[in-house]
Structures are given as structure tokens and as C-alpha cells.
Amino acid sequence: MKVYFDHNATTPLHPEVKKEMAEAMDMFGNPSSMHAWGREARANVEDARRRIAAFVGAQDDEIVFVGSGSEANNTVLSLFVCASNMCIPGTKMRSTIITTKIEHPCVLETSECLAHRGARVKFLDVDRYGKVDLDQLADMLGDDVGLVSVMMANNEIGTIQDIETIAKMAHESGAMMHTDAVQAVGKLPVDVQRLGVDFLTISGHKIYGPKGVGALYVKKGTPYCPLIRGGHQERGRRAGTENTLGILGLGKAVDMRAIEMEAEKQLLGDMKAVLKKGIEEQIDDICFNGHPTESLSNTLNVSFPGAEGEAILLYLDLEGIAVSTGSACASGSLDPSHVLLATGVDAERAHGSIRISLGRGSTMQEVEYMLDVLPRTIQRIRNMSTAYIKGGAHAASR
Ligand SMILES: *Cc1c(COP(=O)(O)O)cnc(C)c1O
């Protein structure tokens, strides 16, 4: 049996997306050209823009197509050093950025880089469930803060933040609000008006669309500075000839999400509950990470002290099951997940954690197969680990 339980890392193309992209494969015109070839490409790009705007409650011209979720996040954060250098005529922007300790690496790394380029960056703590500390946010906010960037749903533990409240707090102190909604869009209802955000990030390949395409919502009237400069594509907000095929695929992916999202959310929630119960009943000494209720219905993060996450991943892979340890970007490094550490999980437990992320193709049979394989896998690894003593003494003997 082949079981893909790593949908937060990436998703397969939706068959409808694949079909539409395959049919459009010969559409090669440059959307900036005025002839028929160009007009055809332009029509498709604008059609996708309309669908995506409608899906998140934005106006068409508030959607900027970019090359990835990472690029969208880089663009928003970089705006604040760009703007403070007076790149945007007439705007002198506040250059302190507040973000969190559990963001995706594309936000964290960019923040750290910007700190060397004149920005001040402050990182919010989270509680044991991964929720942002709102009292600390209130303390940090002040007339120096230009941007608050908080992810809507976490890719590793699934915790969902109260973006509406955070955006209100940011705006009351005169700061702008960005949310990385890559894991939220297509899994939860996302409406930019209701959330009250100025910027919002979307990525194609996390919602059964193609890789290498993303969309950035930029609220009308918000100061902006392109990260990629050159031609006048995207109304001067992102240079470079549009990824027409990718954009078309993203538009279709969003359409399919609108149809499938609600029913799928229920279904995956039921599967997650079965997984959780089965793991609890069959495996000793485990611990779930993330928020018990305010969490993505597809994401389950669990720690097995005494079993290395990488070992679990490799043994499960041998049985045809794909999961991940921490984020895909962080695997390959031996550092424990920064997200788990931020929730107060000790390094030992963080090392023994895996993320199971379900998706639209997941079935209850797959869940049952997982519940058959996982307990003996953990037992096997723990048996090999001389350092493991049930109940916690393992930490001392690493
Ligand atoms: C995957 C992911 C990204 C990066 O998106 P790419 O399109 O792969 O660059 C950003 N933020 C979160 C929360 C993600 O899960």
C-alpha cells in the first residue's frame, strides 16, 4: 500500500487542474503582447485572477501573481526596508517588524536578513499549543512598528491563530498586517475583509495546484515596493513574464477548493480523530503537539520519546507511508523543529516527533494501515534504542 500523509509539504495536482493545464499547454503567448496570442494568454491570467480574488474576498487588482509562497512573504517583509529607504515616494515607513517564533523559514530567514539591513525585528512567543501571546504583542506594539506578520495556520503543528484580533491590534497602533495563509487557504474559510489584513500569502502547490506559483493579496492603497523589478507586469508590482500555465492552474485549483473544501474538512477531521485515538490506545508514552481544537483538521503532530523522528520516517517509508519530521525545509538538518521548541517541547521530545498531514485523497483504509504499521515501528525503534527508558529517563543518556 502507498500512503501519502505529507500534504503540508506539497500536494498532488488535482485531476481537474492537470486536465486544464494539459489542455492549455500550447498557450505560449506573452500576456503583454497585443496580438491574438498575447490576448489569449492575458485573458487566462485575468480569469484566474478573478477566481482567486473572489475566493478570498478581494478585488481583482488586489491580487499579485508571484513565483511562490516564499516570494510573496519575502516581498511583504522586504517592503519595510525598501520603504524606509524612501523607495516609495513620499512614504517614510516605520521599520520595526513583529513576527513570531513559529513562522515558516521563508519569513524567519528574511526577518533575520532584514535585521542586518536596518529593520528591527521582534519575535513573538507562543504558548504550549502554539498560540501567539497577545499580551506580549500588546506590549511590543508601538509607534515604531510598521508591520505585524503572523501566519494563519502553522505548517508543522496546525495551530490556527486569531488573525482578526491580531490585525485589529496591529491597526490600532498604526501598523500594517500580513498573514502567511499558505496552510489556511483551501482548508479554512479565508476572507481578507473579515480578517482585516493588508497582505495575505497563497501558494499553488499546497492546494493541489502547480509548484512555482503563488499569489499575494495587497489591499488597495497599501504602500508597496516590488521585490523583482523590471517590466511592468502585474501593474509594476512583480516584474517578469507571467507563469501563464501556472497561474491558470492556480485559478483552477482555487475553484476546486471552493467546491471540495467543506466536505473534505469534515472527512479529514474524522480521520484525524481516529488516528489520534488509535495512537493513544496502541502506543505508550506519546504526546500530541499543537492545539487540541484550534488546529487544521488535516494535521497531526505527535512525539514518541525514545524514537528518532528520522528513523520513524525511514521505517514508515519502507512500508510505503510518507510522513515528515518538522518542516520539509528543516529536514536534512539535525536541529530539532524551531516550532516545537517554541511551544516549550524539550529537544528530546522534539527529535522524536513526526507530522502526519492528510489530504483530499486520504482514506480511512489508509488510516487503518497507518495504525497497523506505526505501533510496531515505534516499538521496533524503541527496542533498538538502549537509551530509551519509559517515562523520561531517556533524556539523560543521549
Ligand atoms: C510551504 C509553505 C510556504 C512556502 O511556499 P512555497 O510556495 O513552497 O514557497 C510558506 N509558508 C508556509 C506556512 C508553508 O507551509
Side-chain angles (χ1 to χ4, degrees):
M1 198 166 185
K2 282 284 202 192
V3 178
Y4 185 77
F5 279 171
D6 200 13
H7 290 83
N8 287 9
T10 196
T11 56
L13 276 185
H14 192 293
E16 292 295 321
V17 174
K18 182 177 164 185
K19 186 163 155 255
E20 196 152 307
M21 286 179 75
E23 282 166 8
M25 199 60 92
D26 289 328
M27 175 187 72
F28 73 93
N30 186 326
S32 299
S33 301
M34 284 165 68
H35 47 59
W37 284 262
R39 289 198 307 274
E40 183 201 12
R42 168 61 56 204
N44 276 292
V45 167
E46 296 313 317
D47 184 49
R49 197 188 309 280
R50 266 191 298 279
R51 301 176 191 193
I52 294 160
F55 189 60
V56 298
Q59 295 171 34
D60 299 350
D61 58 1
E62 292 177 320
I63 298 295
V64 181
F65 288 119
V66 294
S68 62
S70 298
E71 185 191 320
N73 289 344
N74 271 258
T75 302
V76 174
L77 294 168
S78 302
L79 179 63
F80 286 79
V81 288
C82 180
S84 59
N85 291 334
M86 301 302 288
C87 174
I88 300 170
T91 321
K92 177 78 188 139
M93 296 225 300
R94 305 164 169 191
S95 62
T96 298
I97 295 170
I98 296 178
T99 185
T100 79
K101 291 185 177 168
I102 62 164
E103 297 298 310
H104 188 273
C106 66
V107 168
L108 292 178
E109 300 272 324
T110 305
S111 302
E112 272 153 31
C113 173
L114 295 181
H116 295 289
R117 290 165 56 196
R120 270 192 81 202
V121 188
K122 297 177 180 175
F123 297 93
L124 287 163
D125 294 314
V126 295
D127 67 14
R128 57 193 284 239
Y129 300 121
K131 292 283 258 189
V132 162
D133 184 337
L134 296 181
D135 293 331
Q136 189 188 25
L137 174 61
D139 287 344
M140 277 187 188
L141 282 167
D143 57 15
D144 59 323
V145 178
L147 179 75
V148 177
S149 178
V150 176
M151 73 199 317
M152 189 161 170
N154 184 270
N155 46 310
E156 291 190 37
I157 56 176
T159 301
I160 299 165
Q161 306 294 342
D162 183 359
I163 297 301
E164 214 177 316
T165 302
I166 296 170
K168 253 189 212 108
M169 291 170 72
H171 287 154
E172 273 163 19
S173 85
M176 286 181 240
M177 179 72 199
H178 167 241
T179 189
D180 172 354
V182 168
Q183 294 290 346
V185 167
K187 296 192 182 105
L188 306 168
V190 171
D191 184 304
V192 293
Q193 309 291 337
R194 195 178 60 75
L195 293 174
V197 294
D198 303 293
F199 304 99
L200 181 137
T201 296
I202 300 171
S203 172
H205 75 103
K206 304 286 175 79
I207 55 172
Y208 311 95
K211 292 170 179 59
V213 64
L216 175 62
Y217 160 77
V218 183
K219 188 181 172 157
K220 198 166 277 173
T222 306
Y224 187 85
C225 198
L227 183 67
I228 314 283
R229 294 159 211 276
H232 290 114
Q233 291 89 356
E234 298 300 291
R235 297 171 178 250
R237 291 174 298 186
R238 203 277 190 174
T241 301
E242 296 87 341
N243 173 4
T244 46
L245 208 56
I247 289 168
L248 176 143
L250 176 56
K252 187 66 183 179
V254 157
D255 277 356
M256 299 318 295
R257 284 289 80 200
I259 297 168
E260 296 177 353
M261 183 172 88
E262 267 315 310
E264 182 188 289
K265 195 168 128 197
Q266 285 298 322
L267 220 62
L268 299 187
D270 292 347
M271 288 184 209
K272 173 170 158 177
V274 171
L275 259 178
K276 233 176 142 169
K277 188 155 172 285
I279 291 172
E280 232 159 20
E281 284 173 1
Q282 296 186 56
I283 309 175
D284 279 349
D285 195 13
I286 58 125
C287 199
F288 295 111
N289 303 305
H291 200 283
T293 53
E294 289 155 52
S295 172
L296 294 174
S297 73
N298 80 315
T299 308
L300 185 62
N301 190 305
V302 53
S303 299
F304 305 97
E308 284 286 333
E310 277 72 23
I312 304 171
L313 187 154
L314 293 175
Y315 276 104
L316 290 178
D317 185 44
L318 289 175
E319 309 262 6
I321 301 171
V323 298
S324 89
T325 58
S327 65
C329 316
S331 51
S333 82
L334 288 173
D335 296 336
S337 152
H338 67 283
V339 175
L340 293 180
L341 293 183
T343 64
V345 168
D346 62 54
E348 182 70 19
R349 203 178 107 193
H351 271 299
S353 304
I354 60 165
R355 174 187 71 189
I356 303 166
S357 49
L358 312 172
R360 67 177 289 279
S362 301
T363 63
M364 210 50 108
Q365 282 86 339
E366 292 181 341
V367 167
E368 279 158 17
Y369 179 61
M370 177 69 156
L371 287 174
D372 175 41
V373 173
L374 189 61
R376 53 183 160 85
T377 301
I378 300 298
Q379 194 55 52
R380 197 163 152 197
I381 298 170
R382 279 179 173 170
N383 285 347
M384 287 186 299
S385 159
T386 50
Y388 176 64
I389 300 160
K390 188 187 163 188
H394 47 274
S397 50
R398 261 186 87 80

